[in-house]
């Protein structure tokens, strides 16, 4: 098909934009120099053509998808290695190319090498001794070896203490013997484990001198470095097709009395001496590092998927015309319908909210990690609680956002060529991996309950839970304040009220004769809700404060639009949580009516800037990979172009007609 000019509706939308789009792009990236770096990186990678498929991957077999993913991932690593030699860059390029929007554009359904750089290398860095790091990290960085990380088992996932794989120390040979004592002890799910990795960090129960010392990390060689054949005692394979992420090569691993050298236990924290003496870690919490790192990265990844989804749906909504509410007038753009704005604009705001919160959390992670190096672990529980609830809320919100965008695109959103179903498969998977969301919310709840008890006992509270003291002090709730800061404050009041109710219910049930564990379980629904309320309060406050800081040097026009997005996000969630506000604050029906009007007014104000706001995410068409969301708005032409790529369109009559359909129609089948 002959390419046409940019769609007239999109030209009109862009002309209405009240702010400088490039200014916002630079702000999102963290500065004009970082935007330039990103664009250069994208250009450098995409000009290699790794992302171009001869046949769309949806038409490939499961085996062919894996082989294509390996080809692409290998070419990307080759490119990164070349950059490393030329520019002497470190982990930054790995994270930017493999873990961001660019990586997901090339490997649309997941990469079999992701865990190599997201879990294998960071675990070596975080839990290996200086000597172990010197030996392993260089080999891993150069991809001399390919690693993965195996914790989850067929029978156990989030309950890490319940893992069955054992590592028993043999002082005679100075080796550990790793073993899977049952089928449920088989490792299950690690990306790249099936046919890609030749080394693996295996989490196992450590036994020495007949005593179990809990879960520790061990480096296990899975395959011969030359032939890639599994080594003796290694039972490894792929777990099968999934809803999404079918390029990640998720595998299973059984170990039959596999021996490894003593030096293959990661011993930065706990150690086993040659004679089998176990030297305990200064704190069991030191092993949290890798998982917290991954959860922080995940929040950022969710921003990328939400940005792609709202870009696709917003541009499509500007191009799509439907219905005729006013006789004798043209069909309006579906973006003019307030219901469509309601579906999409909060998604745009969510990208900014989670992006700023992810940056804030990343800074906190780096600060706490630096404190850990000096032996200060005071803020580690706070970071753990925050990373748990932000991972849970960001992945759940991203899944809802992508699905809402898919629905906003009607039937066309159901097409794989829209890229929305594929994105949904990827984000909904994140609700489960690296910590199932309900379990993570309950982990945050344990921290919140402890914080409540500390507040009641007049102990000092960490900054993110200091608001609890307001409720424990017994002060009366002030009149409802419907200003922006008042609404954010109300969310803290709701969170504190929910935490207090949970504590009261647990204590009441204990008095009625239940054990603490049973009382906790009976209260667990309320506990997850309290954790989510805490997270919402943190998100709203962080988004507001970080935007204020971000806008100090912004133009008045951009500052106004970003402030409107913050207002929209806060008011949207206030209306979503109105039941909680009625329960824990003095909000009135009149307040709710005013909030609804405010929300609808914000939708109208943001409407002229909708396309400009998603353009500012600056997602190249090759990365967006959507027939509905391309910059030029050629929606219908691109849909037809993608349809014609179907192998079924290669011939006018499929052979099944002569084999089955014609005999059936003639009564000769």
């Amino acid at each position: 098909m002959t390419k046409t000019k940019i769609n007239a509706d999109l030209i009109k939308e862009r002309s209405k934009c009240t702010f400088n789009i490039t200014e916002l792009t630079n702000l999102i990236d963290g500065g004009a120099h970082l935007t330039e770096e990103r664009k250069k990186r994208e250009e450098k990678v995409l000009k290699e053509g790794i992302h171009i498929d001869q046949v769309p991957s949806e038409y490939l077999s499961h085996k062919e998808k894996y082989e294509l993913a390996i080809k692409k991932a290998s070419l990307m690593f080759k490119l990164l290695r070349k950059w490393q030699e030329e520019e002497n860059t470190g982990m930054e390029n790995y994270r930017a190319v493999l873990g961001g929007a660019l990586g997901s554009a090339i490997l649309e359904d997941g990469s079999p090498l992701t865990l190599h750089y997201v879990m294998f290398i960071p675990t070596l860095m975080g839990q290996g001794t200086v000597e172990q790091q010197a030996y392993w990290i260089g080999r891993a960085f150069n991809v001399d070896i390919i690693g993965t990380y195996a914790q989850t088992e067929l029978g156990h996932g989030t309950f890490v203490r319940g893992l069955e794989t054992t590592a028993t120390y043999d002082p005679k040979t100075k080796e550990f013997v790793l073993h899977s004592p049952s089928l449920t002890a088989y490792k299950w799910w690690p990306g790249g484990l099936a046919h890609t990795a030749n080394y693996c960090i295996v989490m196992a129960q450590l036994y020495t001198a007949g005593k179990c010392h809990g879960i520790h990390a061990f480096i296990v060689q899975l395959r011969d470095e030359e032939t890639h054949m599994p080594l003796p005692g290694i039972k490894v394979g792929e777990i099968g097709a999934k809803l999404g992420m079918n390029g990640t090569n998720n595998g299973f691993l059984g170990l039959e009395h596999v021996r490894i050298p003593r030096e293959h236990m990661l011993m930065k924290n706990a150690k086993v001496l040659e004679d089998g003496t176990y030297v305990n870690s200064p704190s069991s919490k030191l092993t949290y590092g890798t998982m917290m790192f991954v959860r922080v990265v995940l929040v950022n990844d969710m921003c990328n998927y939400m940005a792609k989804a709202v870009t696709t749906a917003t541009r499509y909504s500007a191009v799509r015309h439907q219905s005729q509410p006013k006789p004798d007038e043209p069909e309006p753009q579906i973006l003019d319908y307030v219901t469509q704005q309601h579906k999409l604009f909060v998604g745009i705001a969510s990208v900014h909210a989670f992006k700023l919160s992810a940056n804030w959390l990343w800074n906190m992670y780096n600060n706490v990690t630096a404190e850990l190096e000096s032996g200060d672990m005071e803020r580690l529980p706070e970071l753990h609680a925050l990373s748990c609830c932000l991972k849970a809320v960001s992945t759940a919100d991203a899944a809802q956002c992508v699905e809402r965008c898919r629905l906003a695109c009607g039937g066309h959103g159901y097409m794989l060529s829209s890229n929305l179903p594929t994105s949904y498969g990827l984000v909904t998977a994140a609700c489960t991996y690296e910590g199932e969301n309900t379990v993570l919310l309950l982990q945050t709840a344990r921290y919140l309950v402890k914080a409540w008890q500390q507040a009641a006992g007049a102990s000092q509270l960490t900054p993110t839970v200091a608001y609890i003291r307001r409720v424990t002090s017994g002060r009366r709730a002030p009149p409802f304040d419907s200003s922006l800061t008042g609404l954010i404050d109300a969310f803290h009041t709701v969170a504190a009220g929910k935490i207090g109710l949970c504590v009261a219910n647990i204590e009441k049930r204990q008095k009625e004769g239940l054990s603490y564990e049973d009382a906790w379980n009976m209260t667990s629904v309320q506990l997850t809700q309290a954790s989510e309320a805490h997270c919402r309060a943190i998100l709203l406050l962080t988004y507001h404060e970080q935007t204020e800081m971000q806008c100090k040097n912004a133009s008045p026009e951009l500052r106004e639009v970003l402030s409107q997005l913050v207002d929209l996000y806060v008011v949207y969630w206030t209306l979503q949580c109105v039941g909680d506000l009625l329960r824990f604050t003095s909000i009135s029906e009149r307040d709710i009516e005013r909030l609804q009007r405010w929300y609808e007014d914000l939708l109208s104000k943001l409407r002229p800037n909708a396309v400009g706001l998603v353009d500012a995410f600056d997602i190249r068409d090759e990365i967006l990979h959507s027939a509905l969301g391309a910059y030029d708005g050629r929606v219908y032409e691109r849909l037809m172009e993608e349809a014609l790529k179907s192998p079924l369109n290669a011939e006018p009559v499929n052979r099944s007609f002569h084999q089955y359909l014609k005999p059936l129609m003639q009564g000769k089948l």
Side-chain angles (χ1 to χ4, degrees), residues 47-85:
K47 78 175 183 181
E48 297 288 325
I50 303 170
H51 63 290
I52 299 170
D53 295 332
Q54 298 303 315
V55 177
S57 59
E58 53 263 36
Y59 299 120
L60 300 179
S61 69
H62 187 65
K63 183 170 176 281
E64 288 169 333
K65 281 183 182 178
Y66 167 68
E67 290 164 353
L68 180 62
I70 282 291
K71 175 187 173 184
K72 288 184 172 184
S74 299
L75 290 171
M76 284 176 70
F77 262 84
K78 178 186 174 184
L79 189 62
L80 283 167
R81 186 188 274 169
K82 182 183 171 187
W83 286 3
Q84 204 174 330
E85 291 167 357

Side-chain angles (χ1 to χ4, degrees), residues 14 17 19-40 42 307 311 315 351-352 355-356 359 550 554-555 558-559 561-562 565 611-620 631:
R14 287 168 181 140
C17 189
F19 64 92
N20 185 304
I21 293 172
T22 302
E23 183 188 1
L24 179 52
T25 300
N26 293 339
L27 200 69
I28 292 168
D29 286 335
H33 66 292
L34 292 175
T35 297
E36 188 181 350
E37 279 179 26
R38 173 179 58 78
K39 284 176 174 286
K40 281 181 180 176
E42 289 170 356
T311 297
R315 286 178 179 165
V351 177
H352 290 275
K355 183 80 174 171
L356 290 170
N359 292 341
Q550 195 183 46
S555 64
L558 180 56
R559 197 179 309 133
V561 175
L562 291 179
L565 279 176
V611 170
L613 283 165
V614 297
D615 280 355
F617 294 140
D618 197 30
I619 305 170
R620 289 177 58 141
Y631 186 84

Side-chain angles (χ1 to χ4, degrees), residues 18 211 458 578 620:
T18 64
K211 185 179 177 184
V578 75
R620 289 177 58 141

